[in-house]
Amino acid sequence: MQDGIRLTCLSCGQANRFPFTKLKAGPKCAKCGVMLVGDDVAALNDLRHDKAVRADDLPLIVDYWAPWCGPCRTMAPEFAAAAKALRFLARFAKIDTEQFPAISQRLQIRGIPLLILYAQGKEIARLSGARPASDIEAFVRQHL
Ligand code: ZN
């Protein structure tokens, strides 16, 4: 970890790098100033999705959802609660698959809500269906 941690800003897409020791001090994006490791769920677009999935040194879990999907809306507060519980272990983000359908096609997503966990540029595991926060936490911990 001498090179530090690389993290894509989930708000603006800027690539950031900072020393590992600063991780819990609340590092901010050099470009837009948001916290790089916050405890909230960042809304991604397609470009930031691909950058964050590819390059980040912290695991990323993405909620593939859509506004018309009732179970997705039910799960949103559960996902947000898991994000708070797992801060510094993984970053949490969501992407609207209605707004960015090409992402769903590429990832062969057939049903939502779907969670995909990424680490070191690779897909690690998927969890489908609306889940309580405890299931989401267990899923992430089991695979990291
Ligand atoms: Zn930024």
Side-chain angles (χ1 to χ4, degrees):
M1 285 291 178
Q2 322 166 322
D3 290 327
I5 294 188
R6 283 170 308 162
L7 282 182
T8 302
C9 173
L10 298 178
S11 291
C12 77
Q14 169 76 25
N16 288 269
R17 187 183 283 276
F18 57 89
F20 183 70
T21 50
K22 292 272 190 329
L23 176 61
K24 295 192 179 178
K28 292 189 172 135
C29 173
K31 188 170 167 194
C32 77
V34 306
M35 297 262 273
L36 289 169
V37 192
D39 63 357
D40 54 351
V41 177
L44 297 175
N45 64 14
D46 47 359
L47 290 176
R48 294 198 305 274
H49 172 278
D50 289 352
K51 270 181 132 173
V53 162
R54 203 167 45 229
D56 285 3
D57 283 332
L58 270 189
L60 176 74
I61 182 166
V62 181
D63 175 12
Y64 298 85
W65 76 290
W68 50 261
C69 160
C72 296
R73 294 197 304 271
T74 306
M75 188 172 76
E78 301 294 322
F79 191 65
K84 293 199 189 323
L86 297 177
R87 189 181 179 187
F88 304 121
L89 189 62
R91 294 200 298 170
F92 281 61
K94 62 181 178 179
I95 187 161
D96 179 342
T97 56
E98 188 177 40
Q99 206 178 346
F100 302 104
I103 295 253
S104 293
Q105 271 180 12
R106 177 152 46 88
L107 296 173
Q108 302 186 309
I109 294 173
R110 291 186 182 84
I112 52 170
L114 174 74
L115 303 180
I116 301 183
L117 179 64
Y118 299 93
Q120 270 127 32
K122 287 199 292 265
E123 178 178 328
I124 302 294
R126 295 185 177 204
L127 184 70
S128 58
R131 307 281 185 152
S134 55
D135 278 19
I136 299 167
E137 261 193 78
F139 166 73
V140 173
R141 289 188 190 281
Q142 177 196 341
H143 290 285
L144 294 182

